[in-house]
Amino acid sequence: MELRQLQYMLAVAEEGHFTRAAEKTFVSQPALSQQIQKLEEELGVALFDRRRGHIRLTVAGEILCRHARRILQEVDDARLALQELEGLKRGSLRVGVVQTVNAYLIPQVVVAFTQAHPAIRLHIEERPAGEIERGLEQGELQLGIGFVPPDSTAIIAEPLFTEEMLLVLPAMHPRARRRQAEFRELATLPMVHFSRAFCTRRLLEEYAAGVGIDLHIAVEMNTVAGILATVAEASLATVLPQLALDGQRQPELVGLPLVNPTPQRTVGLLWHQDAYRCAAARAFAEAVKQRVDATLPAHGASAAATSSGPSSSRSAPSAPSAVSSARRSKSGRV
């Protein structure tokens, strides 16, 4: 059994297709198929059900996949540990960041990190929160920045800060000159927002359910920039974290605090509980903390107490079901 065979098997399992798996692993399709066949012959079991043109793992394949991920993770951890004999003089780091945090927090962190550690190849991947957790579990990422608490029990969260969500309106909107808005007023405003695949939308709807209102989502989009541009052009409203609005720097928009209740969420560092924490990941996490301490109080976000274990809550919502419902859902979060 060879490591490359395990890598090929995992690629086929993830892609559900031999050709796409070959492209993902940078080998020819016949070569990949041959290695999978050799692995099956060596083990004496079929790893994939190839009937009717569909590629699915057999029971034996599922068992081997679980072990293969752990084996490859151990190999990666060993490689990282050996690299650290030279300190932060070489190596690479993959970090997953949710979209609404990436724009306003990460660019300055990247500048500080790359200046301090120029020999480290840094890969920042913008992913939904669920994909970040899966990336950590599968060893694709060494560090994540997402929401607390995580859905997966295999992920350890270290809270960074709690942020409030604002009602965002065009500056010329009749309500834009007010100092704040009642949460119940959202029922009267046509809105543009994320789809229910994203945590921010689901969290907002949980708060709405808690006060007995329905939201009028007229348009669904999947990027912060697109949502804010639509608010500016179409005179729709939205609800986004304050720092997402600050990061876009659009003077034609205003953000009003929401009260009764004030929707909040907590952002944190995410680690796999069993994975090796390489020096590069620890250094990047420290750079994130320093950036949070230096900038977020000026924006009105509150620092969260750090913890080495899983956090117990994402926020302190007035709607009691907000955190529990968002934690149960396994789809993408932003």
Side-chain angles (χ1 to χ4, degrees), residues 36-330:
I36 296 293
Q37 185 177 357
K38 285 184 177 180
L39 182 60
E40 290 178 320
E41 291 173 354
E42 178 183 348
L43 297 174
V45 296
L47 299 174
F48 294 98
D49 183 349
R50 302 169 173 83
R51 293 176 296 177
R52 295 185 297 275
H54 297 289
I55 307 298
R56 294 188 177 88
L57 286 168
T58 62
V59 174
E62 291 175 353
I63 293 172
L64 185 58
C65 272
R66 290 196 295 270
H67 287 277
R69 288 192 177 96
R70 288 198 292 269
I71 290 169
L72 294 174
Q73 183 62 58
E74 288 291 333
V75 171
D76 285 342
D77 289 348
R79 185 180 294 111
L80 288 171
L82 292 173
Q83 288 176 353
E84 290 185 2
L85 292 175
E86 299 183 23
L88 288 166
K89 296 179 181 178
R90 65 189 179 101
S92 62
L93 175 65
R94 290 189 177 274
V95 182
V97 188
V98 291
Q99 179 187 162
T100 48
V101 174
N102 191 27
Y104 60 75
L105 181 62
I106 298 306
Q108 297 86 352
V109 174
V110 167
V111 170
F113 181 87
T114 54
Q115 288 178 345
H117 311 292
I120 301 297
R121 296 190 306 275
L122 183 60
H123 306 271
I124 304 295
E125 300 185 15
E126 189 175 278
R127 300 187 180 191
E131 289 297 321
I132 291 174
E133 293 184 25
R134 281 189 284 275
L136 290 168
E137 290 179 319
Q138 295 176 8
E140 299 170 357
L141 303 172
Q142 281 100 35
L143 175 65
I145 302 175
F147 302 120
V148 179
D151 288 326
S152 172
T153 57
I155 303 300
I156 293 174
E158 188 175 351
L160 289 169
F161 59 90
T162 296
E163 59 181 350
E164 296 183 355
M165 300 173 69
L166 303 179
L167 171 61
V168 182
L169 297 167
M172 302 303 294
H173 194 281
R175 307 188 198 195
R177 294 187 179 184
R178 295 165 55 180
R179 298 182 61 183
Q180 63 185 31
E182 290 281 331
F183 190 92
R184 290 178 179 273
E185 293 180 53
L186 297 184
T188 66
L189 293 171
M191 298 175 65
V192 52
H193 214 275
F194 296 110
S195 73
R196 289 191 177 93
F198 295 99
C199 179
T200 303
R201 167 72 177 275
R202 298 197 306 273
L203 186 62
L204 183 64
E205 289 188 336
E206 286 297 330
Y207 275 99
V211 296
I213 66 170
D214 293 322
L215 301 176
H216 178 197
I217 307 298
V219 180
E220 292 184 342
M221 306 186 80
N222 64 0
T223 68
V224 172
I227 288 172
L228 293 179
T230 303
V231 171
E233 295 293 332
S235 295
L236 296 175
T238 194
V239 175
L240 288 175
Q242 176 177 344
L243 295 175
L245 178 62
D246 293 346
Q248 296 295 322
R249 297 183 178 89
Q250 297 194 30
E252 66 273 24
L253 301 176
V254 298
L256 302 182
L258 287 164
V259 296
N260 301 320
T262 298
Q264 297 177 329
R265 68 179 188 184
T266 297
V267 174
L269 298 169
L270 304 179
W271 309 85
H272 190 284
Q273 63 180 359
D274 297 325
Y276 180 74
R277 295 191 185 184
C278 65
R282 298 196 303 271
F284 192 89
E286 187 60 32
V288 171
K289 294 176 191 176
Q290 291 176 0
R291 184 64 186 175
V292 168
D293 291 342
T295 64
L296 294 194
H299 290 274
S302 58
T306 58
S307 168
S308 60
S311 172
S312 60
S313 67
R314 178 177 294 115
S315 59
S318 299
S321 62
V323 171
S324 60
S325 176
R327 183 183 181 110
R328 285 195 300 270
S329 178
K330 299 296 183 181

